[in-house]
Amino acid sequence: AELSDKVLSIGIDKLSVLVSLGGGAVANVCGFIASTLHRGIGLIHFPTTLLAQCDAAISHKQAVNAPHGKNLVGSYYAPLKIVVDPDVLQTLDDWLLPDGMGEIVKHALCQDRKLLKMLDDHDGPLADPDFLERVVRRTIELKCQVIDIDPKEKREAVVLVYGHTLGHPVEAISHRPGSLCCLSHGQAVAIGCVVAARVAVKMGLCDAFVITRTVALCRKYELPVQIPADQSADRIMAKLPYNKTWTKEGTVMCLLEGVGRLFNVDQQYLLPVSDAVIREAVVETMAPPGTVIRGAGSSGFLRRNKVSHNDILEVADKPVPGAGWSGDGAVHSC
């Protein structure tokens, strides 16, 4: 409300255009405000991070977080234009690039074997400009294909939420105050893809090779494959009702029947999954106590230059197995 009031105070009108210049959070906040002021003013995105260029800005979804979870307050609102220049990615610190790779890996695993082959074949640095331009272009093509035919993600476009059913709760919990264990969105989506692969295997939709493939691809692109040790299955399960894939009947998920393909029943891609199966998959994905995972979230290790590697290791030696964070115990490291 404060930001909206500040924009209104500038003196905008119905024909004004709001421009976002930055990463995914900037695009989401700017998009949500544009969709609400005067019941909708113009919106243009200039995404400057890999995550924004291949995911956050390429969307009709404009949303902000709420205390209960991710993207709970928002709207569907199309921008007038999205300007993507992969060259700006060369100005980013190297550790920011894997964040965007989380969404790219997601598309490769559940939607497109051509993109999967690009990721498999690449053996150079992640910052290689030709590689980044190819994968950004292909990911945008894939996302636009499903948005065009299913803008509100009821059928084909549910592919976009693969890995997010558990990724969002894990991400939200990792952002608790005082924690070094703060994951970026792309990191959380990667973990969510690993959990989703385990759920699909448990439901008999695919074989265990899908888990192996998912883990290997995430590791290649410097993405975590385990839930931080200071989280707990109980805390994660309690977050599920605040996810867009939850219904009054329980959680529904899009799941793989093989690498590059989503399972569906008569073009229905969201399948009901029992809490017991989800909990088993979550427990199997938990990192052992003391595991160090370097988070790239807003207060994660990779953004906190003043936190030394020795500090991280010292904190990691004081785990509380499965307890989750309580606010008065040792802070756990990621």
Side-chain angles (χ1 to χ4, degrees), residues 138-155:
R138 183 57 183 162
T139 306
I140 291 173
E141 290 171 351
L142 292 168
K143 191 161 187 181
C144 288
Q145 284 174 11
V146 292
I147 289 175
D148 283 348
I149 59 177
D150 184 20
K152 293 195 174 180
E153 298 176 7
K154 302 294 185 183
R155 301 179 310 279

Side-chain angles (χ1 to χ4, degrees), residues 15-328:
L15 299 179
S16 296
V17 176
L18 209 55
V19 178
S20 76
L21 176 65
V26 173
N28 284 335
V29 171
C30 187
F32 178 62
I33 291 174
S35 73
T36 57
L37 295 180
H38 294 295
R39 295 190 176 90
I41 61 173
L43 172 65
I44 296 176
H45 288 315
F46 284 86
T48 60
T49 66
L50 183 56
L51 180 72
Q53 289 191 358
C54 66
D55 182 65
I58 316 299
S59 180
H60 293 166
K61 297 185 295 184
Q62 319 296 340
V64 294
N65 299 338
H68 281 302
K70 295 273 297 177
N71 301 333
L72 293 179
V73 181
S75 61
Y76 287 91
Y77 193 70
L80 299 172
K81 185 175 292 187
I82 306 165
V83 182
V84 175
D85 181 4
D87 285 346
V88 304
L89 301 178
Q90 299 304 311
T91 67
L92 300 177
D93 291 335
D94 288 346
W95 63 267
L96 273 167
L97 293 176
D99 182 33
M101 291 305 300
E103 292 285 357
I104 294 171
V105 164
K106 174 203 76 178
H107 279 281
L109 288 171
C110 67
Q111 190 180 7
D112 187 51
R113 292 189 174 185
K114 177 180 176 181
L115 178 58
L116 183 62
K117 188 174 188 306
M118 286 185 196
L119 300 183
D120 283 340
D121 291 347
H122 182 65
D123 60 359
L126 185 50
D128 179 85
D130 292 335
F131 169 70
L132 289 174
E133 181 166 356
R134 289 197 305 273
V135 296
V136 167
R137 183 181 296 275
R138 183 57 183 162
T139 306
I140 291 173
E141 290 171 351
L142 292 168
K143 191 161 187 181
C144 288
Q145 284 174 11
V146 292
I147 289 175
D148 283 348
I149 59 177
D150 184 20
K152 293 195 174 180
E153 298 176 7
K154 302 294 185 183
R155 301 179 310 279
E156 294 86 354
V158 299
V159 68
L160 303 178
V161 300
Y162 181 71
H164 287 62
T165 301
L166 276 301
H168 273 172
V170 169
E171 179 183 1
I173 294 168
S174 81
H175 283 237
R176 62 202 182 280
S179 175
L180 296 176
C181 192
C182 187
L183 298 168
S184 68
H185 179 67
Q187 289 180 317
V189 168
I191 294 170
C193 288
V194 176
V195 179
R198 288 200 164 100
V199 169
V201 171
K202 290 180 181 298
M203 293 181 65
L205 304 180
C206 61
D207 59 40
F209 173 74
V210 170
I211 301 174
T212 304
R213 194 78 164 85
T214 300
V215 169
L217 193 61
C218 289
R219 282 181 172 157
K220 177 176 180 178
Y221 288 99
E222 304 172 32
L223 292 162
V225 295
Q226 294 176 306
I227 298 169
D230 65 335
Q231 297 197 23
S232 68
D234 286 345
R235 190 177 288 270
I236 292 169
M237 297 301 294
K239 282 284 187 184
L240 288 180
Y242 303 106
N243 211 318
K244 68 183 293 182
T245 56
W246 188 84
T247 68
K248 286 295 185 180
E249 288 72 40
T251 298
V252 292
M253 297 178 68
C254 53
L255 298 166
L256 297 182
E257 64 176 6
V259 176
R261 301 188 314 278
L262 282 182
F263 183 87
N264 74 92
V265 178
D266 298 329
Q267 301 303 303
Q268 296 297 317
Y269 292 89
L270 289 173
L271 309 175
V273 184
S274 72
D275 282 356
V277 169
I278 295 173
R279 181 180 287 272
E280 285 181 20
V282 166
V283 169
E284 290 177 9
T285 312
M286 295 293 299
T291 302
V292 176
I293 304 170
R294 290 170 174 77
S298 57
S299 62
F301 171 81
L302 292 173
R303 292 184 192 238
R304 292 168 62 99
N305 294 329
K306 63 183 180 181
V307 179
S308 71
H309 183 66
N310 287 336
D311 291 335
I312 292 294
L313 292 176
E314 183 179 349
V315 172
D317 285 336
K318 303 173 183 176
V320 183
W325 181 79
S326 64
D328 55 4

